[in-house]
Amino acid sequence: MTAIVVQDLRVSRGGTEVLKGISFSVDPGSVYALLGGNGAGKSTTLLTLLGFLTPDSGSASVLDNDVTQCVSRVRQQIAYLPEAATLYPHLNAYENLEYFLDLAGRKTTQLELDQALDEVGLQLESRSRHMEDYSKGMRQKVAISLAILRETPVLLLDEPTSGLDPVAIDEFNALVRNLAGLGKSILMVTHDVYGACQVANRIGLLRRGQLVGSFDAPAGERIETDRVHATFAERATA
Ligand SMILES: Nc1ncnc2c1ncn2[C@@H]1O[C@H](COP(=O)(O)OP(=O)(O)OP(=O)(O)O)[C@@H](O)[C@H]1O
Ligand SMILES: [Mg+2]
């Protein structure tokens, strides 16, 4: 079963067609990076998969469930990291995680919370502090750990490394590879060519609502950054 299938998807926002017939699929246990500039339609693609936007035509499915017909089943399979993840500033990291996991119907132990926060590299002494005192990168780490703790088969990540420093980005990329190795299917949207090449099995280049290029990682290797960057830059000025 393919994890995500998008076929000739067209989506309009505010009367303008934003996605102009895109098709791609994400294999189980793989990372697909949707790469594109500002306004290309990356977030729109994720919001459509989550059932927040209705396609004009075409289709999208998650684990064989159509996203317009089986909205709640689709959402149960997905952990979504939004572009600007908002957690509660007056709660600490543990309290935020417990609260949002409880809403998702998932009970966790303190050990599980600490393991997830270890994985994303949030310092132990910060975890009991209110998140209003956190830096952007620290907030992002808690949001990422929340997505992991949901334990869903599919992850949708919107600009997950934005606000992280280079070391944290490398750690995050390793974490994403690890999650794919555990069988998770990951769709990540980004405008970071380097990061996409580090983690993705396949990259789709999105330009003004159209997929204009696709790159596959050779078995056991990474996608070549220079090649993707050249195409990205060339298309961006076309
Ligand atoms: N709520 C909205 N109403 C109308 N148009 C919108 C809305 N949100 C986004 N758009 C338009 O849809 C297009 C695609 O936006 P989208 O947010 O999907 O881009 P993106 O690729 O995620 O960009 P970024 O890298 O800046 O996050 C843009 O032209 C944007 O102006
Ligand atoms: Mg976006």
Side-chain angles (χ1 to χ4, degrees):
M1 186 193 300
T2 313
I4 298 174
V5 181
V6 170
Q7 271 172 333
D8 202 16
L9 187 68
R10 289 176 186 273
V11 177
S12 296
R13 302 183 77 173
T16 307
E17 192 172 65
V18 171
L19 295 180
K20 301 169 182 166
I22 63 168
S23 303
F24 66 92
S25 59
V26 183
D27 293 328
S30 81
V31 182
Y32 186 102
L34 197 57
L35 185 70
N38 295 130
K42 304 182 299 295
S43 298
T44 300
T45 306
L46 300 190
L47 293 173
T48 307
L49 288 169
L50 287 158
F52 292 121
L53 297 170
T54 309
D56 299 333
S57 65
S59 66
S61 64
V62 175
L63 298 171
D64 278 352
N65 298 298
D66 185 274
V67 300
T68 57
Q69 282 159 30
C70 320
V71 180
S72 67
R73 207 177 315 158
V74 165
R75 288 181 187 165
Q76 280 164 16
Q77 317 268 29
I78 294 176
Y80 165 54
L81 178 68
E83 203 165 6
T86 44
L87 299 164
Y88 287 111
H90 59 284
L91 298 180
N92 68 35
Y94 295 126
E95 291 163 343
N96 265 295
L97 290 175
E98 272 173 345
Y99 175 71
F100 284 101
L101 288 165
D102 191 45
L103 284 183
R106 168 131 163 67
K107 295 271 170 269
T108 43
T109 62
Q110 180 73 28
L111 182 65
E112 286 176 301
L113 298 184
D114 274 314
Q115 278 171 344
L117 292 168
D118 286 345
E119 268 189 280
V120 296
L122 186 79
Q123 289 180 321
L124 193 60
E125 56 268 28
S126 308
R127 298 178 190 177
S128 311
R129 272 175 32 209
H130 285 185
M131 286 186 62
E132 61 200 347
D133 299 334
Y134 279 29
S135 70
K136 190 178 175 196
M138 289 161 72
R139 284 196 201 104
Q140 192 67 355
K141 286 177 179 179
V142 179
I144 292 165
S145 68
L146 176 59
I148 296 166
L149 282 160
R150 286 279 315 280
E151 292 196 320
T152 56
V154 176
L155 284 141
L156 303 185
L157 309 173
D158 199 337
E159 305 279 357
T161 55
S162 111
L164 297 185
D165 65 44
V167 175
I169 289 178
D170 282 347
E171 285 168 0
F172 174 77
N173 288 337
L175 179 63
V176 168
R177 289 299 331 152
N178 189 29
L179 291 169
L182 294 171
K184 307 261 183 203
S185 310
I186 301 165
L187 171 58
M188 170 175 143
V189 312
T190 181
H191 34 68
D192 173 22
V193 176
Y194 175 75
C197 290
Q198 273 209 308
V199 297
N201 299 94
R202 176 174 288 175
I203 292 176
L205 211 56
L206 190 65
R207 167 98 183 126
R208 291 197 189 124
Q210 288 181 308
L211 273 172
V212 295
S214 175
F215 302 86
D216 282 301
E221 288 177 47
R222 304 264 54 96
I223 299 172
E224 224 180 294
T225 310
D226 287 351
R227 207 157 57 90
V228 180
H229 188 267
T231 315
F232 191 18
E234 164 200 321
R235 297 286 184 178
T237 53

